[in-house]
Amino acid sequence: MCGIVGYIGHRKATDVIIKGLQRLEYRGYDSAGVAIVNGKIRIEKQKGKVAQLVKVISANPMQGSSGIGHTRWATHGEPNDVNAHPHTGQKKKFALVHNGIIENYDAIRKNLESKGHVFESQTDTEVLAHLIEEIYEISDTDFITSVQLALNEVDGTFGIAVVNNDDPDTIIVARRGSPLLLGIGEGEHFIASDASPIIEYTNKVVYLDDDEMAIINRDSYEVRTIKNVTLNKAVHELEMSIEQIEKAGFPHFMLKEIYEQPDTIADCMRGRLVVSENRIQLGGIAHVLDRIVNADRIIIAACGTSWHAGLVGEYLFEYLAKKKVEVEYASEFRYQNPLIDEKDVMIVISQSGETADTLAAVREAKSKGALVLGICNVVGSTIARETDAGVYTHAGPEIGVASTKAFTAQVTVLSLMAIMIGQKNGALSEKKSAKLIKALNEIPEKVKAILEHADDIKKMSELFTYAPNFLYLGRSYNFPVALEGALKLKEISYIHAEGYPAAEMKHGPIALIDQHMPVVVIAATDHTNDKMISNIEEVRARKGRVIAIANENNSEVANLAEYTIRIPETHDCFTPLLTVIPLQLISYYIAVNRKCDVDQPRNLAKSVTVE
Ligand code: M6R
C-alpha cells in the first residue's frame, strides 16, 4: 500500500528519498513521485516503478536537501502520472503526499471549486493540498495552523507529509489511521511510513499516534496533537538491521524468507520454550494469563494469511488447552454487531501490525470491554501498541508481499500459547506437555530437512506451471494449510486456486475434477490418514492429478499419488509448520516459471492500511 518517505538535513534529499522509496517497493504500488524544496518546489512523478522515476530524475537532477516522496497504491483515480503524488494546491505553494482515504473529499472539492479552485487529478489527496493552501492564503494563518485547520475538516484516514515554499526548512507530517514514524539523526531527520527507509541512517525513532503531527526541521522536531497540544514523545530504538531488509544473494525476498524459516521459528521460540523445565514462558502475556484461562471464549481475528494462522490456532487451543475458540475475519467483525464483552479475550494476528481491518476489530473489542491480545511481527506497530498485551513473532522484516515466515512464526506463537494455557488450566498433563514441547523444539530442524529437497519440488512444479486451476485439500490442522497453499498460489502466480476441507470436496468442488486438475492433498496427520486416502482415491477415480504432502513413512499415500512430497514426522498438531513449506515452494517456483513479479504481485499491497 502507499508509502511515504521524507528527508531534511545535509544530504542530497533525492538520494535519500529515492532509496527510501525503493525500500518501500515491497508494500505494493503503481506510481511514485518526489517533491524537492530548493527555492521553489519541484515535483517529478511517474506511473509505474520507482525505476521509471529515477530515469526522469537522472535526466534532470533535482538539487536540494529537503523533500518528500511517495509510492501510490491507487484508491481514487486510476494509476497514472497525474494521479501520482505529490499533489499541490492551486498556487503550487504546498506539496503533499498522503496515505489513506479522505472520505469527505467530494464535498470539500465542490466547495473549493465554487471558490475557483481547479483540480488536475481525480484523487482525494489533491483536495487536501488545495484545502491547506486555501486556509493558508485566505485566513493568513501560519503553516502549522493551516495544516491543523485543514485536518480538522477532513473525515477518513491519513498519514501525510507536507512541504511549503514559504517555509523551506520545515516538513510537517501528521497521522490518523496510517502509520508514520520520524527518524532522528545528527542535524537531519527522516520520515517514513515504516522503518525500512530509515534504518540505514538511524535507529532512533518516534512513532506518531493518531491525531498527532510533527513539525520537523534539520536540527529539531516537535510533536503536537492536531488540536495543538505539545507532546513529549518517547524515542524508541529500532531492532531491525539493514541486512534483514536485503536479499542476501537470493533472487527474491520470498525465497529468502522461505529459507529463513528454520531460524525464524527458532527465534520465535528462543527463551520462551524452556525444554529443560517443561515450561513455556511468554512474558508479554504472563500478567494476563489468569484472565485468558478464565475467559468464556477466545475470539481470534485477522485477515489473509494471518487469518489462516488463526484457524490453525483454533484447532490448537481447542485440542491442547480445551478453550472455546471462534475465528473471525477481522474485516467482518464490526459488521456482525459482535456479541463480545469483558468475559471474552480477543487475539488479533497481524504481520504488519497496521492492517486497518484488524485494527478496527481491536478497537471494537476493546470498546466492549474484552481483553485484546496481539500477535504481531512489526515491533512498535499500531496494533502492537493498541492491544492490551501480546507476543511478538520475531520473524524479522517480511518484505515479500506473500507472507511465508510470518505464517510459521504466528503458528509457532499460537502453539506456545496453547501449551501455556493448557498447562495452566490443567488440560495438559506433565507427560503430554513434555511430548509437545519436545516436538515443537524439533520443528526448525525438520523445516531445514524439507528445504534440502527444494530442488525436487522445483522440478515437479515445472510440470504444473501452466495448469489453469488448482485444488488444495486438507483436514483438521491442515485444512487451514490448504487455504494458505491456495492463497499463496493465486496471489503470486495468478492461477485460480481453491482450498477446501477435504470432506467438502464431494459437496461441490468434485465437479471440477478432470485430468487437467492438479489436486494438492495434505495427508500428514495420522488421525485423518484413512480419510485422506479415500479422498485421493476419489480424485484419482476422476483422473485428477494428485500431489500429496505426506509423512516420510506413508507408503500408502505415496503409492496412490502422482507426486509425493515427504515431510518428517511430528506431533499431528504441529504438522502445519511443516506441510506449509512445500506449498510455499510450489507457489514460488510456479510463479517464477510464469515470469510473475514474485515479490510485488499485481494489485497487492504488503500492508493493507485502508478498510
Ligand atoms: O499484516 P497482516 O498480517 O495483518 O496482513 C494480513 C493480510 O493482508 C496478509 O496476510 C495477506 O493476505 C498476504 N498477502 C498473504 O500472503
Side-chain angles (χ1 to χ4, degrees):
M1 208 131 276
C2 306
I4 290 177
V5 189
Y7 176 75
I8 183 160
H10 44 77
R11 304 172 201 250
K12 193 171 165 198
T14 33
D15 292 350
V16 178
I17 293 168
I18 291 291
K19 205 164 187 191
L21 293 180
Q22 284 162 339
R23 297 250 186 249
L24 289 176
E25 284 191 298
Y26 78 95
R27 291 168 69 102
Y29 70 106
D30 43 56
S31 54
V34 286
I36 299 294
V37 196
N38 188 21
K40 194 167 169 279
I41 295 175
R42 183 177 148 206
I43 293 179
E44 293 294 349
K45 47 189 193 171
Q46 285 287 313
K47 179 184 170 186
K49 297 285 180 192
V50 176
Q52 314 280 116
L53 181 67
V54 171
K55 271 191 202 151
V56 174
I57 296 175
S58 310
N60 186 6
M62 300 172 91
Q63 306 302 336
S65 55
S66 159
I68 53 178
H70 192 256
T71 47
R72 173 175 187 254
W73 185 83
T75 57
H76 295 61
E78 63 176 281
N80 61 27
D81 294 355
V82 178
N83 288 334
H85 301 203
H87 287 283
T88 58
Q90 183 80 6
K91 296 186 178 164
K92 315 229 174 293
K93 274 198 170 165
F94 293 87
L96 177 146
V97 293
H98 165 225
N99 292 354
I101 293 177
I102 307 295
E103 285 164 5
N104 58 340
Y105 82 101
D106 199 37
I108 299 174
R109 181 174 171 136
K110 287 195 175 110
N111 182 32
L112 290 170
E113 276 170 343
S114 73
K115 293 177 179 163
H117 285 250
V118 177
F119 292 89
E120 293 171 358
S121 76
Q122 300 154 304
T123 64
D124 50 338
T125 304
E126 189 186 4
V127 171
L128 182 55
H130 276 247
L131 181 62
I132 293 172
E133 197 186 81
E134 168 80 8
I135 294 170
Y136 182 78
E137 291 289 292
I138 303 297
S139 341
D140 199 24
T141 53
D142 62 19
F143 185 16
I144 302 171
T145 316
S146 306
V147 173
Q148 288 171 331
L149 291 174
L151 293 180
N152 284 331
E153 278 189 41
V154 301
D155 297 332
T157 55
F158 53 80
I160 57 162
V162 200
V163 287
N164 173 3
N165 235 342
D166 291 347
D167 191 352
D169 295 325
T170 303
I171 301 176
I172 295 183
V173 296
R175 92 161 248 180
R176 182 183 295 153
S178 255
L180 265 186
L181 60 152
L182 165 63
I184 303 164
E186 294 286 323
E188 59 183 352
H189 288 107
F190 306 83
I191 48 168
S193 42
D194 71 40
S196 52
I198 289 182
I199 188 64
E200 63 190 284
Y201 307 103
T202 178
N203 64 354
K204 290 197 180 64
V205 295
V206 172
Y207 296 101
L208 287 194
D209 286 306
D210 278 354
D211 291 308
E212 291 178 358
M213 64 191 298
I215 301 106
I216 304 159
N217 310 113
R218 281 182 179 74
D219 295 307
S220 62
Y221 69 91
E222 199 194 326
V223 183
R224 301 184 192 177
T225 65
I226 290 169
K227 302 262 185 236
N228 208 31
V229 178
T230 301
L231 300 169
N232 192 2
K233 297 280 290 184
V235 176
H236 295 265
E237 262 194 33
L238 287 175
E239 285 172 11
M240 81 169 47
S241 70
I242 190 75
E243 292 75 33
Q244 286 178 310
I245 57 169
E246 302 204 314
K247 283 192 199 143
F250 284 89
H252 297 98
F253 282 110
M254 183 180 175
L255 192 62
K256 175 185 173 223
E257 288 156 5
I258 291 173
Y259 270 87
E260 279 173 351
Q261 291 175 107
D263 291 337
T264 51
I265 296 171
D267 288 347
C268 181
M269 296 192 297
R270 184 158 300 122
R272 295 167 166 178
L273 189 76
V274 193
V275 185
S276 57
E277 294 170 28
N278 195 23
R279 192 165 61 83
I280 307 286
Q281 181 172 290
L282 291 172
I285 56 167
H287 61 295
V288 288
L289 189 57
D290 283 338
R291 196 158 160 201
I292 303 172
V293 166
N294 295 319
D296 278 1
R297 264 186 320 174
I298 294 177
I299 297 168
I300 300 181
C303 300
T305 288
S306 300
W307 183 74
H308 296 155
L311 289 175
V312 178
E314 179 177 15
Y315 286 92
L316 289 165
F317 278 63
E318 295 199 340
Y319 178 67
L320 301 178
K322 303 281 176 269
K323 288 299 301 181
K324 194 167 149 204
V325 175
E326 285 168 24
V327 185
E328 304 286 354
Y329 279 115
S331 53
E332 277 300 307
F333 185 69
R334 62 199 179 283
Y335 304 124
Q336 298 167 336
N337 195 14
L339 301 174
I340 181 169
D341 58 33
E342 65 285 347
K343 294 191 289 306
D344 297 314
V345 169
M346 173 180 267
I347 301 176
V348 291
I349 308 174
S350 175
Q351 185 287 129
S352 62
E354 300 295 350
T355 301
D357 288 316
T358 310
L359 187 56
V362 170
R363 290 175 179 163
E364 181 81 30
K366 280 181 82 172
S367 74
K368 298 200 160 159
L371 174 77
V372 184
L373 311 177
I375 298 178
C376 293
N377 191 35
V378 177
V379 176
S381 55
T382 309
I383 294 174
R385 286 180 294 134
E386 286 205 15
T387 40
D388 298 307
V391 182
Y392 281 118
T393 48
H394 293 315
E398 189 179 66
I399 309 285
V401 163
S403 225
T404 52
K405 63 176 181 172
F407 175 80
T408 45
Q410 290 163 346
V411 172
T412 304
V413 168
L414 289 161
S415 306
L416 295 169
M417 283 173 106
I419 300 173
M420 189 178 177
I421 299 166
Q423 286 186 322
K424 177 83 181 171
N425 68 7
L428 286 177
S429 64
E430 279 282 302
K431 196 170 158 206
K432 197 164 176 192
S433 36
K435 208 169 151 195
L436 290 162
I437 285 176
K438 181 173 175 293
L440 202 49
N441 195 40
E442 288 167 354
I443 291 291
E445 281 307 312
K446 294 185 175 177
V447 173
K448 210 180 268 174
I450 298 170
L451 290 169
E452 279 162 14
H453 296 287
D455 272 351
D456 299 338
I457 298 173
K458 182 178 179 188
K459 264 189 220 127
M460 186 214 73
S461 302
E462 278 167 20
L463 303 170
F464 294 96
T465 295
Y466 296 103
N469 300 291
F470 262 77
L471 194 60
Y472 288 73
L473 302 176
R475 280 176 194 258
S476 176
Y477 298 98
N478 285 298
F479 151 55
V481 179
L483 298 182
E484 176 59 8
L487 176 67
K488 230 49 336 151
L489 186 70
K490 65 187 134 191
E491 64 181 343
I492 60 166
S493 72
Y494 317 138
I495 294 175
H496 173 240
E498 304 265 4
Y500 271 97
E504 279 296 305
M505 180 176 67
K506 57 188 174 298
H507 298 290
I510 199 162
L512 297 170
I513 295 176
D514 61 15
Q515 70 276 23
H516 305 297
M517 176 69 96
V519 183
V520 180
V521 180
I522 309 159
T525 45
D526 292 340
H527 71 294
T528 59
N529 190 49
D530 293 348
K531 298 244 160 41
M532 292 309 293
I533 287 174
S534 304
N535 291 131
I536 295 175
E537 296 278 21
E538 287 156 10
V539 173
R540 272 171 48 108
R542 286 152 188 91
K543 300 197 166 44
R545 304 185 64 186
V546 176
I547 303 167
I549 316 293
N551 286 338
E552 271 159 354
N553 302 321
N554 195 336
S555 52
E556 221 177 336
V557 166
N559 289 339
L560 289 173
E562 187 175 339
Y563 295 94
T564 304
I565 300 168
R566 308 285 196 168
I567 58 152
E569 303 270 351
T570 183
H571 193 290
D572 272 6
C573 63
F574 303 134
T575 50
L577 291 165
L578 303 182
T579 52
V580 77
I581 310 289
L583 304 194
Q584 296 168 346
L585 287 167
I586 291 173
S587 309
Y588 172 77
Y589 289 123
I590 289 181
V592 170
N593 293 341
R594 290 166 70 100
K595 306 210 175 346
C596 296
D597 190 346
V598 173
D599 284 335
Q600 292 160 42
R602 70 182 180 206
N603 304 340
L604 288 178
K606 182 68 186 162
S607 162
V608 184
T609 50
V610 294
E611 290 178 31

